[in-house]
Amino acid sequence: MSRPVLVVSAHLDDAVLSWGGTIAALTGRGVRVVVLTVFAGCAGDPLPPYAEQYHTWWRAACAMAGDTAAGGMRLRRDEDVRACAVLGAEPVHLDFLEALYRRGAGGSPRCCAGDDLFSPPGPDDLVLEKAVAAELGGWIARLAPGEVHAPAAIGGHLDHVLTARACESALRDAADEPRARWYEDLPYALEPPDNGPAAVSPLTDDDWRRKIEAAAAYRSQHPMLWDDDWPDRLLAHAREVGGGSPGERHWDTAPAPDGDH
């Protein structure tokens, strides 16, 4: 039996949207895949104003009852459980807060507008990065994966950058360093990135079908990410990456500190 594969995801949907076909291909071969989401913690109320805007979208998409931070995250965790079930993967949810919910020492929100989600890490973020690296290191030690797949932080989303850097640190400190793959981040990678030579994981039609079925589980996120033609957009990108047949792109070297290769 081969060693398991650990797929690290910044948020509750990133791994499936970006790498779901490869996850399906792995589990289809009998490989154990654990999808670990870093920023899946439930924040306290009241919601920061910018987070409230997101919750408004989620309620519209899913008829979500209530508007608490905990209610929103429970909804998203449930979506992730359903998506991972489609792929035959095991979901793990860590309790770190995503940038949308984080506050500074004085109580001011980390993010007040969309641009803040793509701002460089500040001192508090760097402290958080070290804590994430320590937690990931523990999971790598316990799971002993043969490979670790993590986001390449294309697009520079703050949480993706922190996740990529924390994963690189955890891998560097691992006693038995697994092979690493850094998958491109969707939907940000729909705008062609200039990240150097990439490798492509080819997908069968069934791998692709399972990916789209799993991605459809994240109903709360669709209004922010996609128009109704999202399956067609993903397929067009995957065919471009795969040279006509669906594929998913990754790199074998870690992203640079700013999130670019």
Side-chain angles (χ1 to χ4, degrees):
M1 178 67 69
S2 61
R3 293 163 64 185
V5 171
L6 176 63
V7 179
V8 181
S9 184
H11 301 120
L12 292 158
D13 66 356
D14 292 329
V16 171
L17 290 177
S18 303
W19 202 232
T22 300
I23 295 171
L26 288 167
T27 61
R29 298 199 300 268
V31 177
R32 179 189 178 196
V33 177
V34 175
V35 177
L36 182 151
T37 302
V38 173
F39 297 106
C42 296
D45 293 308
L47 291 166
Y50 191 55
E52 169 57 30
Q53 181 177 331
Y54 275 71
H55 277 242
T56 299
W57 292 328
W58 300 350
R59 287 194 297 274
C62 299
M64 184 176 79
D67 57 1
T68 65
M73 195 52 66
R74 282 196 299 269
L75 168 70
R76 295 190 63 193
R77 285 187 177 207
D78 288 346
E79 291 175 338
D80 190 58
V81 168
R82 290 194 294 273
C84 286
V86 171
L87 299 178
E90 303 171 28
V92 171
H93 301 147
L94 301 187
D95 289 326
F96 296 103
L97 300 184
E98 64 177 279
L100 198 64
Y101 298 123
R102 294 200 294 271
R103 295 180 183 269
S108 59
R110 173 61 177 85
C111 295
C112 297
D115 288 348
D116 294 334
L117 292 171
F118 300 90
S119 60
D124 289 345
D125 301 314
L126 298 179
V127 172
L128 176 61
E129 178 189 320
K130 291 181 180 179
V132 171
E135 184 73 13
L136 291 177
W139 274 93
I140 291 171
R142 290 191 296 272
L143 192 63
E147 296 184 356
V148 174
H149 303 169
I154 291 170
H157 189 292
L158 174 62
D159 288 344
H160 290 232
V161 171
L162 295 179
T163 299
R165 289 167 37 151
C167 198
E168 181 185 7
S169 178
L171 286 166
R172 187 171 55 245
D173 294 340
D176 181 17
E177 184 172 346
R179 176 187 177 187
R181 292 186 182 182
W182 306 90
Y183 58 80
E184 67 174 0
D185 311 61
L186 293 172
Y188 310 114
L190 290 177
E191 298 297 327
D194 182 13
N195 293 313
V200 175
S201 298
L203 305 175
T204 66
D205 289 343
D206 188 60
D207 296 335
W208 186 257
R209 178 193 61 77
R210 291 170 65 196
K211 170 174 177 166
I212 293 302
E213 183 181 348
Y218 299 105
R219 289 179 55 208
S220 67
Q221 304 304 294
H222 290 179
M224 295 174 296
L225 298 176
W226 314 104
D227 295 323
D228 291 340
D229 65 346
W230 65 269
D232 295 332
R233 292 182 64 196
L234 282 179
L235 180 57
H237 176 75
R239 284 176 170 164
E240 180 181 358
V241 166
S245 299
E248 291 173 333
R249 184 159 43 197
H250 70 273
W251 292 265
D252 293 324
T253 57
D258 63 356
D260 296 325
H261 284 263

